[in-house]
Amino acid sequence: MHNVDLSVTLAGMTMKNPVVVASGTFGFGREYGEFYDLSELGGICAKGLTLHRREGNPGPRIAETPMGILNSVGLQNPGVDAFIATELPFLRQYDVKVIANISGNSPEEYGVMCEKLSEAGVDMIEVNISCPNVKAGGLAYGTRPELAAEVTEVAKAHAGQVPVMVKLSPNVTDITEIARAVEGAGADALSLINTLRGMRIDVNTRRPILKMNTGGMSGPAVLPVAVRMVWEVSNAVKIPVLGMGGVSKGEDAAQMMLAGATAVAVGTACFADPYAPLKVRDGLAEIAARQGLSAVSELTGGVKPW
């Protein structure tokens, strides 16, 4: 591939290329594995796990938007133990880094899951802090610096040698405040952005299209917001960033990396085109080659602000 070195290292985890598939858009890889060898990817971020099995939200739970989708799937998953027993061995057949994404209702739940996943030997744990904290009246951990820091500390204390990456919510006034709090609590990396809250209404029935009324917006429409937040966060912290939000082609990924991301995740684009992550990878290599770079990692942080 143009003799450009595609490998990147994210918080001590070396991937053969900087393209990860985003949590919740790739399941546990089985379906996509019928299209191509999953070893082609840099990393797979598995669908979000909770301590116990969850059925998710009632439907409809997906709605299209002009440049993306809204979802309120509600973390439907088989639970962390089932993942370790059946899905992790499947993923381990491939030469790809496995990132487990976890959600909890209390810091204790995050701790238990980190312990289990660390013992099972995942490559990285992505901590979703967009979940509501039951004790704090349903406030999302990701909206208050002290709550985000508390979850991060507990996760780090129970994750052993496995790096902990915290996934930041964009639904805040200042994302750098949360980023700094999480870094201070010991996070090894940050991933951003999670979905933006949105809503669609059927004007004839006057009912929201999603049964849960609102949902998370993803897809090409959120890319400029994500690039801006990745840039702000990269300038605010020293730990590496996994950039995501609307990435569907090489140029999108290059923007993320120039803004400061070490690696990128492709999510919603996978629904329209299962091969999107591979096209992003190849597109990135082409851009790096065209610019005379010897490695794609040289793009990281290369933006020249006015």
Side-chain angles (χ1 to χ4, degrees):
M1 235 359 257
H2 311 293
N3 297 325
V4 173
D5 178 9
L6 290 177
S7 67
V8 298
T9 301
L10 180 70
M13 178 181 78
T14 300
M15 300 186 287
K16 62 175 70 144
N17 66 66
V19 182
V20 175
V21 284
S23 176
T25 61
F26 212 76
F28 299 115
R30 290 180 187 269
E31 298 81 3
Y32 288 91
E34 294 178 20
F35 289 93
Y36 51 85
D37 181 354
L38 300 181
S39 303
E40 296 274 314
L41 299 164
I44 293 178
C45 195
K47 183 159 176 35
L49 299 167
T50 48
L51 189 51
H52 306 292
R53 179 188 173 88
R54 275 178 67 126
E55 292 305 320
N57 292 332
R61 49 193 201 177
I62 297 268
E64 288 199 32
T65 64
M67 278 293 277
I69 57 171
L70 289 175
N71 92 82
S72 64
V73 172
L75 296 171
Q76 177 182 341
N77 77 97
V80 70
D81 291 333
F83 168 78
I84 290 167
T86 62
E87 306 300 341
L88 189 55
F90 165 77
L91 289 168
R92 279 288 173 236
Q93 300 173 78
Y94 300 96
D95 174 23
V96 65
K97 298 300 180 187
V98 178
I99 304 168
N101 174 293
I102 60 169
S103 292
N105 289 316
S106 65
E108 294 74 27
E109 282 191 8
Y110 282 102
V112 172
M113 285 189 281
C114 281
E115 211 153 278
K116 287 174 181 276
L117 289 162
S118 161
E119 283 168 16
V122 298
D123 295 298
M124 185 176 272
I125 296 169
E126 182 179 53
V127 177
N128 178 8
I129 55 172
S130 299
C131 341
N133 175 347
V134 176
K135 289 178 187 154
L139 259 178
Y141 286 105
T143 57
R144 292 249 303 271
E146 63 279 14
L147 293 179
E150 184 190 5
V151 168
T152 305
E153 274 172 18
V154 171
K156 276 298 290 176
H158 291 85
Q161 299 301 305
V162 178
V164 170
M165 176 166 68
V166 179
K167 187 170 193 174
L168 304 183
S169 167
N171 303 306
V172 293
T173 312
D174 178 9
I175 196 165
T176 63
E177 188 187 12
I178 311 288
R180 285 193 191 97
V182 166
E183 178 184 44
D188 299 294
L190 299 172
S191 59
L192 63 145
I193 59 172
N194 209 325
T195 53
L196 289 153
R197 285 190 65 200
M199 184 178 192
R200 272 195 65 197
I201 297 168
D202 181 323
V203 296
N204 297 311
T205 63
R206 302 192 173 191
R207 289 268 195 194
I209 290 176
L210 295 176
K211 197 66 179 277
M212 300 302 286
N213 300 316
T214 64
M217 186 173 85
S218 60
V222 310
L223 178 69
V225 177
V227 169
R228 183 264 297 178
M229 288 189 169
V230 164
W231 180 59
E232 288 177 342
V233 167
S234 297
N235 282 313
V237 300
K238 292 188 169 62
I239 53 177
V241 166
L242 172 67
M244 63 187 73
V247 174
S248 59
K249 53 186 190 289
E251 191 188 80
D252 304 339
Q255 285 191 62
M256 283 283 189
M257 292 179 75
L258 288 168
T262 295
V264 295
V266 178
T268 300
C270 295
F271 295 147
D273 179 5
Y275 296 95
L278 306 187
K279 291 176 181 175
V280 167
R281 175 200 64 188
D282 295 346
L284 258 179
E286 277 163 30
I287 289 167
R290 202 165 62 232
Q291 297 188 1
L293 307 180
S294 58
V296 285
S297 59
E298 292 173 39
L299 288 166
T300 297
V303 67
K304 303 173 191 168
W306 299 104

PDB file of all heavy atoms in Angstrom, residues 92-125:
ATOM      1  N   ARG A  92     -11.053 -13.669  18.934  1.00  0.00           N
ATOM      2  CA  ARG A  92      -9.634 -14.001  19.114  1.00  0.00           C
ATOM      3  C   ARG A  92      -9.079 -14.868  17.979  1.00  0.00           C
ATOM      4  O   ARG A  92      -7.881 -15.103  17.891  1.00  0.00           O
ATOM      5  CB  ARG A  92      -9.441 -14.708  20.467  1.00  0.00           C
ATOM      6  CG  ARG A  92      -9.370 -13.719  21.628  1.00  0.00           C
ATOM      7  CD  ARG A  92      -8.061 -12.979  21.582  1.00  0.00           C
ATOM      8  NE  ARG A  92      -7.977 -11.901  22.567  1.00  0.00           N
ATOM      9  CZ  ARG A  92      -7.716 -10.636  22.260  1.00  0.00           C
ATOM     10  NH1 ARG A  92      -7.552 -10.285  21.011  1.00  0.00           N
ATOM     11  NH2 ARG A  92      -7.617  -9.717  23.191  1.00  0.00           N
ATOM     12  N   GLN A  93      -9.961 -15.354  17.104  1.00  0.00           N
ATOM     13  CA  GLN A  93      -9.482 -16.095  15.929  1.00  0.00           C
ATOM     14  C   GLN A  93      -8.767 -15.161  14.959  1.00  0.00           C
ATOM     15  O   GLN A  93      -8.063 -15.606  14.060  1.00  0.00           O
ATOM     16  CB  GLN A  93     -10.651 -16.710  15.162  1.00  0.00           C
ATOM     17  CG  GLN A  93     -11.505 -17.691  15.917  1.00  0.00           C
ATOM     18  CD  GLN A  93     -12.711 -18.065  15.077  1.00  0.00           C
ATOM     19  OE1 GLN A  93     -12.607 -18.873  14.154  1.00  0.00           O
ATOM     20  NE2 GLN A  93     -13.847 -17.477  15.363  1.00  0.00           N
ATOM     21  N   TYR A  94      -9.007 -13.859  15.114  1.00  0.00           N
ATOM     22  CA  TYR A  94      -8.483 -12.888  14.161  1.00  0.00           C
ATOM     23  C   TYR A  94      -7.319 -12.102  14.747  1.00  0.00           C
ATOM     24  O   TYR A  94      -7.231 -11.904  15.963  1.00  0.00           O
ATOM     25  CB  TYR A  94      -9.604 -11.920  13.748  1.00  0.00           C
ATOM     26  CG  TYR A  94     -10.761 -12.615  13.092  1.00  0.00           C
ATOM     27  CD1 TYR A  94     -11.887 -12.971  13.827  1.00  0.00           C
ATOM     28  CD2 TYR A  94     -10.720 -12.947  11.737  1.00  0.00           C
ATOM     29  CE1 TYR A  94     -12.949 -13.641  13.239  1.00  0.00           C
ATOM     30  CE2 TYR A  94     -11.770 -13.614  11.131  1.00  0.00           C
ATOM     31  CZ  TYR A  94     -12.884 -13.954  11.885  1.00  0.00           C
ATOM     32  OH  TYR A  94     -13.930 -14.622  11.292  1.00  0.00           O
ATOM     33  N   ASP A  95      -6.459 -11.620  13.848  1.00  0.00           N
ATOM     34  CA  ASP A  95      -5.330 -10.797  14.263  1.00  0.00           C
ATOM     35  C   ASP A  95      -5.807  -9.344  14.300  1.00  0.00           C
ATOM     36  O   ASP A  95      -5.550  -8.554  13.379  1.00  0.00           O
ATOM     37  CB  ASP A  95      -4.181 -10.992  13.263  1.00  0.00           C
ATOM     38  CG  ASP A  95      -3.014 -10.057  13.560  1.00  0.00           C
ATOM     39  OD1 ASP A  95      -2.891  -9.612  14.717  1.00  0.00           O
ATOM     40  OD2 ASP A  95      -2.246  -9.754  12.625  1.00  0.00           O
ATOM     41  N   VAL A  96      -6.567  -9.021  15.340  1.00  0.00           N
ATOM     42  CA  VAL A  96      -7.149  -7.682  15.457  1.00  0.00           C
ATOM     43  C   VAL A  96      -7.265  -7.351  16.944  1.00  0.00           C
ATOM     44  O   VAL A  96      -7.476  -8.249  17.767  1.00  0.00           O
ATOM     45  CB  VAL A  96      -8.541  -7.632  14.753  1.00  0.00           C
ATOM     46  CG1 VAL A  96      -9.557  -8.540  15.441  1.00  0.00           C
ATOM     47  CG2 VAL A  96      -9.069  -6.202  14.659  1.00  0.00           C
ATOM     48  N   LYS A  97      -7.079  -6.104  17.289  1.00  0.00           N
ATOM     49  CA  LYS A  97      -7.196  -5.720  18.696  1.00  0.00           C
ATOM     50  C   LYS A  97      -8.668  -5.682  19.102  1.00  0.00           C
ATOM     51  O   LYS A  97      -9.514  -5.178  18.355  1.00  0.00           O
ATOM     52  CB  LYS A  97      -6.567  -4.344  18.943  1.00  0.00           C
ATOM     53  CG  LYS A  97      -5.074  -4.299  18.641  1.00  0.00           C
ATOM     54  CD  LYS A  97      -4.283  -5.286  19.499  1.00  0.00           C
ATOM     55  CE  LYS A  97      -2.793  -5.212  19.176  1.00  0.00           C
ATOM     56  NZ  LYS A  97      -2.030  -6.253  19.858  1.00  0.00           N
ATOM     57  N   VAL A  98      -8.960  -6.220  20.269  1.00  0.00           N
ATOM     58  CA  VAL A  98     -10.343  -6.281  20.748  1.00  0.00           C
ATOM     59  C   VAL A  98     -10.541  -5.291  21.890  1.00  0.00           C
ATOM     60  O   VAL A  98      -9.871  -5.380  22.929  1.00  0.00           O
ATOM     61  CB  VAL A  98     -10.709  -7.712  21.215  1.00  0.00           C
ATOM     62  CG1 VAL A  98     -12.131  -7.745  21.767  1.00  0.00           C
ATOM     63  CG2 VAL A  98     -10.548  -8.703  20.063  1.00  0.00           C
ATOM     64  N   ILE A  99     -11.442  -4.349  21.653  1.00  0.00           N
ATOM     65  CA  ILE A  99     -11.767  -3.332  22.659  1.00  0.00           C
ATOM     66  C   ILE A  99     -13.175  -3.627  23.178  1.00  0.00           C
ATOM     67  O   ILE A  99     -14.120  -3.731  22.385  1.00  0.00           O
ATOM     68  CB  ILE A  99     -11.718  -1.919  22.039  1.00  0.00           C
ATOM     69  CG1 ILE A  99     -10.350  -1.667  21.391  1.00  0.00           C
ATOM     70  CG2 ILE A  99     -12.036  -0.854  23.087  1.00  0.00           C
ATOM     71  CD1 ILE A  99     -10.298  -0.419  20.507  1.00  0.00           C
ATOM     72  N   ALA A 100     -13.308  -3.794  24.483  1.00  0.00           N
ATOM     73  CA  ALA A 100     -14.630  -4.045  25.070  1.00  0.00           C
ATOM     74  C   ALA A 100     -15.199  -2.725  25.570  1.00  0.00           C
ATOM     75  O   ALA A 100     -14.523  -1.976  26.272  1.00  0.00           O
ATOM     76  CB  ALA A 100     -14.516  -5.036  26.218  1.00  0.00           C
ATOM     77  N   ASN A 101     -16.439  -2.433  25.196  1.00  0.00           N
ATOM     78  CA  ASN A 101     -17.113  -1.207  25.629  1.00  0.00           C
ATOM     79  C   ASN A 101     -18.075  -1.567  26.760  1.00  0.00           C
ATOM     80  O   ASN A 101     -18.846  -2.518  26.643  1.00  0.00           O
ATOM     81  CB  ASN A 101     -17.863  -0.611  24.432  1.00  0.00           C
ATOM     82  CG  ASN A 101     -18.735   0.592  24.801  1.00  0.00           C
ATOM     83  OD1 ASN A 101     -19.724   0.465  25.514  1.00  0.00           O
ATOM     84  ND2 ASN A 101     -18.379   1.743  24.293  1.00  0.00           N
ATOM     85  N   ILE A 102     -17.992  -0.818  27.864  1.00  0.00           N
ATOM     86  CA  ILE A 102     -18.843  -1.152  29.014  1.00  0.00           C
ATOM     87  C   ILE A 102     -19.670   0.035  29.513  1.00  0.00           C
ATOM     88  O   ILE A 102     -19.249   1.189  29.425  1.00  0.00           O
ATOM     89  CB  ILE A 102     -18.010  -1.710  30.196  1.00  0.00           C
ATOM     90  CG1 ILE A 102     -16.964  -0.689  30.682  1.00  0.00           C
ATOM     91  CG2 ILE A 102     -17.334  -3.024  29.798  1.00  0.00           C
ATOM     92  CD1 ILE A 102     -16.292  -1.079  31.995  1.00  0.00           C
ATOM     93  N   SER A 103     -20.869  -0.287  30.025  1.00  0.00           N
ATOM     94  CA  SER A 103     -21.773   0.698  30.605  1.00  0.00           C
ATOM     95  C   SER A 103     -22.266   0.184  31.949  1.00  0.00           C
ATOM     96  O   SER A 103     -22.591  -0.998  32.072  1.00  0.00           O
ATOM     97  CB  SER A 103     -22.999   0.901  29.706  1.00  0.00           C
ATOM     98  OG  SER A 103     -22.634   1.516  28.506  1.00  0.00           O
ATOM     99  N   GLY A 104     -22.319   1.069  32.921  1.00  0.00           N
ATOM    100  CA  GLY A 104     -22.789   0.649  34.242  1.00  0.00           C
ATOM    101  C   GLY A 104     -23.720   1.672  34.866  1.00  0.00           C
ATOM    102  O   GLY A 104     -23.737   2.831  34.465  1.00  0.00           O
ATOM    103  N   ASN A 105     -24.475   1.227  35.855  1.00  0.00           N
ATOM    104  CA  ASN A 105     -25.367   2.129  36.580  1.00  0.00           C
ATOM    105  C   ASN A 105     -24.730   2.652  37.858  1.00  0.00           C
ATOM    106  O   ASN A 105     -25.285   3.516  38.525  1.00  0.00           O
ATOM    107  CB  ASN A 105     -26.680   1.412  36.931  1.00  0.00           C
ATOM    108  CG  ASN A 105     -27.521   1.166  35.700  1.00  0.00           C
ATOM    109  OD1 ASN A 105     -27.659   2.044  34.852  1.00  0.00           O
ATOM    110  ND2 ASN A 105     -28.058  -0.034  35.574  1.00  0.00           N
ATOM    111  N   SER A 106     -23.567   2.096  38.205  1.00  0.00           N
ATOM    112  CA  SER A 106     -22.867   2.545  39.414  1.00  0.00           C
ATOM    113  C   SER A 106     -21.373   2.298  39.197  1.00  0.00           C
ATOM    114  O   SER A 106     -20.998   1.446  38.396  1.00  0.00           O
ATOM    115  CB  SER A 106     -23.346   1.741  40.633  1.00  0.00           C
ATOM    116  OG  SER A 106     -22.970   0.382  40.482  1.00  0.00           O
ATOM    117  N   PRO A 107     -20.529   3.022  39.909  1.00  0.00           N
ATOM    118  CA  PRO A 107     -19.085   2.785  39.789  1.00  0.00           C
ATOM    119  C   PRO A 107     -18.725   1.329  40.082  1.00  0.00           C
ATOM    120  O   PRO A 107     -17.841   0.762  39.442  1.00  0.00           O
ATOM    121  CB  PRO A 107     -18.481   3.739  40.833  1.00  0.00           C
ATOM    122  CG  PRO A 107     -19.480   4.848  40.940  1.00  0.00           C
ATOM    123  CD  PRO A 107     -20.821   4.180  40.779  1.00  0.00           C
ATOM    124  N   GLU A 108     -19.441   0.720  41.032  1.00  0.00           N
ATOM    125  CA  GLU A 108     -19.164  -0.670  41.397  1.00  0.00           C
ATOM    126  C   GLU A 108     -19.342  -1.603  40.195  1.00  0.00           C
ATOM    127  O   GLU A 108     -18.545  -2.513  39.973  1.00  0.00           O
ATOM    128  CB  GLU A 108     -20.090  -1.132  42.536  1.00  0.00           C
ATOM    129  CG  GLU A 108     -19.867  -0.428  43.867  1.00  0.00           C
ATOM    130  CD  GLU A 108     -20.399   1.009  43.902  1.00  0.00           C
ATOM    131  OE1 GLU A 108     -21.361   1.329  43.164  1.00  0.00           O
ATOM    132  OE2 GLU A 108     -19.832   1.828  44.661  1.00  0.00           O
ATOM    133  N   GLU A 109     -20.410  -1.377  39.408  1.00  0.00           N
ATOM    134  CA  GLU A 109     -20.658  -2.221  38.239  1.00  0.00           C
ATOM    135  C   GLU A 109     -19.513  -2.101  37.232  1.00  0.00           C
ATOM    136  O   GLU A 109     -19.084  -3.090  36.652  1.00  0.00           O
ATOM    137  CB  GLU A 109     -21.987  -1.845  37.569  1.00  0.00           C
ATOM    138  CG  GLU A 109     -23.203  -2.379  38.294  1.00  0.00           C
ATOM    139  CD  GLU A 109     -24.490  -2.218  37.482  1.00  0.00           C
ATOM    140  OE1 GLU A 109     -24.427  -1.828  36.293  1.00  0.00           O
ATOM    141  OE2 GLU A 109     -25.564  -2.475  38.046  1.00  0.00           O
ATOM    142  N   TYR A 110     -19.023  -0.878  37.041  1.00  0.00           N
ATOM    143  CA  TYR A 110     -17.894  -0.681  36.131  1.00  0.00           C
ATOM    144  C   TYR A 110     -16.681  -1.473  36.642  1.00  0.00           C
ATOM    145  O   TYR A 110     -15.962  -2.101  35.868  1.00  0.00           O
ATOM    146  CB  TYR A 110     -17.519   0.799  36.032  1.00  0.00           C
ATOM    147  CG  TYR A 110     -18.421   1.626  35.149  1.00  0.00           C
ATOM    148  CD1 TYR A 110     -19.404   2.455  35.691  1.00  0.00           C
ATOM    149  CD2 TYR A 110     -18.266   1.618  33.760  1.00  0.00           C
ATOM    150  CE1 TYR A 110     -20.217   3.240  34.871  1.00  0.00           C
ATOM    151  CE2 TYR A 110     -19.064   2.400  32.941  1.00  0.00           C
ATOM    152  CZ  TYR A 110     -20.044   3.210  33.495  1.00  0.00           C
ATOM    153  OH  TYR A 110     -20.832   3.983  32.694  1.00  0.00           O
ATOM    154  N   GLY A 111     -16.465  -1.445  37.954  1.00  0.00           N
ATOM    155  CA  GLY A 111     -15.331  -2.146  38.544  1.00  0.00           C
ATOM    156  C   GLY A 111     -15.401  -3.640  38.313  1.00  0.00           C
ATOM    157  O   GLY A 111     -14.406  -4.267  37.912  1.00  0.00           O
ATOM    158  N   VAL A 112     -16.580  -4.218  38.537  1.00  0.00           N
ATOM    159  CA  VAL A 112     -16.762  -5.667  38.352  1.00  0.00           C
ATOM    160  C   VAL A 112     -16.500  -6.060  36.904  1.00  0.00           C
ATOM    161  O   VAL A 112     -15.806  -7.041  36.616  1.00  0.00           O
ATOM    162  CB  VAL A 112     -18.196  -6.091  38.769  1.00  0.00           C
ATOM    163  CG1 VAL A 112     -18.457  -7.553  38.390  1.00  0.00           C
ATOM    164  CG2 VAL A 112     -18.399  -5.889  40.272  1.00  0.00           C
ATOM    165  N   MET A 113     -17.030  -5.258  35.969  1.00  0.00           N
ATOM    166  CA  MET A 113     -16.849  -5.579  34.549  1.00  0.00           C
ATOM    167  C   MET A 113     -15.388  -5.458  34.130  1.00  0.00           C
ATOM    168  O   MET A 113     -14.877  -6.293  33.373  1.00  0.00           O
ATOM    169  CB  MET A 113     -17.739  -4.682  33.683  1.00  0.00           C
ATOM    170  CG  MET A 113     -19.202  -5.091  33.735  1.00  0.00           C
ATOM    171  SD  MET A 113     -20.209  -4.207  32.524  1.00  0.00           S
ATOM    172  CE  MET A 113     -20.418  -2.662  33.367  1.00  0.00           C
ATOM    173  N   CYS A 114     -14.713  -4.430  34.623  1.00  0.00           N
ATOM    174  CA  CYS A 114     -13.295  -4.251  34.288  1.00  0.00           C
ATOM    175  C   CYS A 114     -12.475  -5.437  34.770  1.00  0.00           C
ATOM    176  O   CYS A 114     -11.571  -5.913  34.073  1.00  0.00           O
ATOM    177  CB  CYS A 114     -12.760  -2.956  34.902  1.00  0.00           C
ATOM    178  SG  CYS A 114     -13.219  -1.490  33.960  1.00  0.00           S
ATOM    179  N   GLU A 115     -12.796  -5.916  35.968  1.00  0.00           N
ATOM    180  CA  GLU A 115     -12.073  -7.057  36.521  1.00  0.00           C
ATOM    181  C   GLU A 115     -12.258  -8.300  35.650  1.00  0.00           C
ATOM    182  O   GLU A 115     -11.302  -8.983  35.288  1.00  0.00           O
ATOM    183  CB  GLU A 115     -12.565  -7.331  37.941  1.00  0.00           C
ATOM    184  CG  GLU A 115     -11.511  -7.899  38.842  1.00  0.00           C
ATOM    185  CD  GLU A 115     -11.772  -7.562  40.313  1.00  0.00           C
ATOM    186  OE1 GLU A 115     -11.432  -6.450  40.767  1.00  0.00           O
ATOM    187  OE2 GLU A 115     -12.341  -8.438  40.977  1.00  0.00           O
ATOM    188  N   LYS A 116     -13.500  -8.565  35.275  1.00  0.00           N
ATOM    189  CA  LYS A 116     -13.814  -9.735  34.458  1.00  0.00           C
ATOM    190  C   LYS A 116     -13.126  -9.656  33.092  1.00  0.00           C
ATOM    191  O   LYS A 116     -12.535 -10.625  32.619  1.00  0.00           O
ATOM    192  CB  LYS A 116     -15.339  -9.843  34.244  1.00  0.00           C
ATOM    193  CG  LYS A 116     -16.132 -10.292  35.469  1.00  0.00           C
ATOM    194  CD  LYS A 116     -17.639 -10.211  35.168  1.00  0.00           C
ATOM    195  CE  LYS A 116     -18.506 -10.622  36.344  1.00  0.00           C
ATOM    196  NZ  LYS A 116     -18.705 -12.088  36.437  1.00  0.00           N
ATOM    197  N   LEU A 117     -13.209  -8.480  32.461  1.00  0.00           N
ATOM    198  CA  LEU A 117     -12.651  -8.318  31.114  1.00  0.00           C
ATOM    199  C   LEU A 117     -11.131  -8.335  31.119  1.00  0.00           C
ATOM    200  O   LEU A 117     -10.498  -8.847  30.199  1.00  0.00           O
ATOM    201  CB  LEU A 117     -13.178  -7.030  30.481  1.00  0.00           C
ATOM    202  CG  LEU A 117     -14.666  -7.081  30.102  1.00  0.00           C
ATOM    203  CD1 LEU A 117     -15.216  -5.684  29.895  1.00  0.00           C
ATOM    204  CD2 LEU A 117     -14.886  -7.946  28.858  1.00  0.00           C
ATOM    205  N   SER A 118     -10.568  -7.784  32.194  1.00  0.00           N
ATOM    206  CA  SER A 118      -9.108  -7.780  32.325  1.00  0.00           C
ATOM    207  C   SER A 118      -8.599  -9.220  32.446  1.00  0.00           C
ATOM    208  O   SER A 118      -7.637  -9.610  31.789  1.00  0.00           O
ATOM    209  CB  SER A 118      -8.719  -6.956  33.557  1.00  0.00           C
ATOM    210  OG  SER A 118      -7.419  -7.262  33.965  1.00  0.00           O
ATOM    211  N   GLU A 119      -9.289 -10.010  33.268  1.00  0.00           N
ATOM    212  CA  GLU A 119      -8.896 -11.418  33.437  1.00  0.00           C
ATOM    213  C   GLU A 119      -9.089 -12.205  32.141  1.00  0.00           C
ATOM    214  O   GLU A 119      -8.327 -13.121  31.834  1.00  0.00           O
ATOM    215  CB  GLU A 119      -9.711 -12.063  34.563  1.00  0.00           C
ATOM    216  CG  GLU A 119      -9.215 -11.656  35.947  1.00  0.00           C
ATOM    217  CD  GLU A 119     -10.177 -12.056  37.062  1.00  0.00           C
ATOM    218  OE1 GLU A 119     -11.062 -12.908  36.818  1.00  0.00           O
ATOM    219  OE2 GLU A 119     -10.048 -11.503  38.180  1.00  0.00           O
ATOM    220  N   ALA A 120     -10.120 -11.822  31.368  1.00  0.00           N
ATOM    221  CA  ALA A 120     -10.410 -12.525  30.109  1.00  0.00           C
ATOM    222  C   ALA A 120      -9.406 -12.139  29.026  1.00  0.00           C
ATOM    223  O   ALA A 120      -9.286 -12.821  28.008  1.00  0.00           O
ATOM    224  CB  ALA A 120     -11.827 -12.208  29.655  1.00  0.00           C
ATOM    225  N   GLY A 121      -8.697 -11.027  29.233  1.00  0.00           N
ATOM    226  CA  GLY A 121      -7.626 -10.657  28.321  1.00  0.00           C
ATOM    227  C   GLY A 121      -8.027  -9.856  27.100  1.00  0.00           C
ATOM    228  O   GLY A 121      -7.511 -10.090  26.009  1.00  0.00           O
ATOM    229  N   VAL A 122      -8.937  -8.888  27.251  1.00  0.00           N
ATOM    230  CA  VAL A 122      -9.203  -7.989  26.120  1.00  0.00           C
ATOM    231  C   VAL A 122      -8.003  -7.039  25.979  1.00  0.00           C
ATOM    232  O   VAL A 122      -7.186  -6.919  26.894  1.00  0.00           O
ATOM    233  CB  VAL A 122     -10.516  -7.180  26.309  1.00  0.00           C
ATOM    234  CG1 VAL A 122     -11.720  -8.110  26.382  1.00  0.00           C
ATOM    235  CG2 VAL A 122     -10.454  -6.283  27.530  1.00  0.00           C
ATOM    236  N   ASP A 123      -7.893  -6.372  24.840  1.00  0.00           N
ATOM    237  CA  ASP A 123      -6.740  -5.500  24.601  1.00  0.00           C
ATOM    238  C   ASP A 123      -6.921  -4.109  25.201  1.00  0.00           C
ATOM    239  O   ASP A 123      -5.949  -3.432  25.524  1.00  0.00           O
ATOM    240  CB  ASP A 123      -6.477  -5.373  23.099  1.00  0.00           C
ATOM    241  CG  ASP A 123      -6.063  -6.707  22.498  1.00  0.00           C
ATOM    242  OD1 ASP A 123      -5.016  -7.228  22.924  1.00  0.00           O
ATOM    243  OD2 ASP A 123      -6.797  -7.234  21.644  1.00  0.00           O
ATOM    244  N   MET A 124      -8.181  -3.690  25.326  1.00  0.00           N
ATOM    245  CA  MET A 124      -8.472  -2.365  25.875  1.00  0.00           C
ATOM    246  C   MET A 124      -9.919  -2.357  26.343  1.00  0.00           C
ATOM    247  O   MET A 124     -10.743  -3.120  25.837  1.00  0.00           O
ATOM    248  CB  MET A 124      -8.248  -1.290  24.796  1.00  0.00           C
ATOM    249  CG  MET A 124      -8.407   0.144  25.273  1.00  0.00           C
ATOM    250  SD  MET A 124      -8.002   1.349  23.963  1.00  0.00           S
ATOM    251  CE  MET A 124      -6.242   1.546  24.214  1.00  0.00           C
ATOM    252  N   ILE A 125     -10.205  -1.507  27.325  1.00  0.00           N
ATOM    253  CA  ILE A 125     -11.584  -1.344  27.780  1.00  0.00           C
ATOM    254  C   ILE A 125     -12.009   0.087  27.498  1.00  0.00           C
ATOM    255  O   ILE A 125     -11.314   1.036  27.881  1.00  0.00           O
ATOM    256  CB  ILE A 125     -11.731  -1.662  29.282  1.00  0.00           C
ATOM    257  CG1 ILE A 125     -11.404  -3.136  29.556  1.00  0.00           C
ATOM    258  CG2 ILE A 125     -13.145  -1.332  29.773  1.00  0.00           C
ATOM    259  CD1 ILE A 125     -11.270  -3.494  31.031  1.00  0.00           C
TER     260      ILE A 125
END
